[in-house]
Amino acid sequence: NASLASLLLDRGPLSPAFAPAVTSYTATVAFEITTATITPTVSEVTATVAVNGVPLVSGTASPPIDLNVGGNNVTTVI
């Protein structure tokens, strides 16, 4: 089962709201915010997850992700 049970952004809400079938989200943060973390939780206990290529334990926050002014792509792979 390669899906997420939850996906949290420490800097505000995701849009649309999290749903396991949704595969793309956006978020807007204030100009002065320079980093963010993402906490993915997998649905299947044996699944692995990585954010921007960094393996994580399910339910733990990613290392801080540097944000640039404008669009920033962050990938989460299960």
Side-chain angles (χ1 to χ4, degrees), residues 29-41:
V29 298
F31 179 80
E32 60 273 2
I33 302 299
T34 59
T35 65
T37 63
I38 294 178
T39 303
T41 302

Side-chain angles (χ1 to χ4, degrees), residues 12-48:
L14 296 172
S15 178
F18 175 78
V22 176
T23 60
S24 183
Y25 297 91
T26 61
T28 301
V29 298
F31 179 80
E32 60 273 2
I33 302 299
T34 59
T35 65
T37 63
I38 294 178
T39 303
T41 302
V42 296
S43 294
E44 174 61 46
V45 296
T46 60
T48 59

